[in-house]
Amino acid sequence: MEQIQEMTAMITKADIAMKAATWEIGRLREDVAMLRKAMMELAYTAEENGVYLSNLTKATQDVIVAMRLGGFK
């Protein structure tokens, strides 16, 4: 009987941890979506004002190109 209670407690803890992880993943997805939108707006605004990809760092260029190709969703 005690073993069943211990297993039940472990399952309950695992369930709570999974729910917390699911919530965190949801928040991270929302954050990534907001950052993606902001980055696209900044890239568009920069190009409209004469700041081209070649003026940015390689890492920033790679991110913008990847987003335009459908990455970071």
Side-chain angles (χ1 to χ4, degrees), residues 8-29:
T8 302
M10 287 173 35
I11 290 170
T12 301
K13 286 180 183 179
D15 183 52
I16 292 168
M18 287 176 58
K19 287 177 182 173
T22 300
W23 178 83
E24 184 66 27
I25 289 168
R27 293 285 307 161
L28 290 171
R29 283 185 178 150

Side-chain angles (χ1 to χ4, degrees), residues 32-73:
V32 167
M34 289 185 339
L35 289 169
R36 185 178 193 281
K37 181 179 177 187
M39 187 68 158
M40 290 300 284
E41 289 175 3
L42 288 169
Y44 175 78
T45 302
E47 285 188 16
E48 288 295 311
N49 289 292
V51 179
Y52 298 100
L53 282 180
S54 59
N55 297 27
L56 304 173
T57 66
K58 177 77 169 114
T60 302
Q61 291 176 26
D62 291 345
V63 169
I64 292 170
V65 169
M67 285 189 317
R68 287 183 177 162
L69 295 174
F72 300 104
K73 289 186 178 179

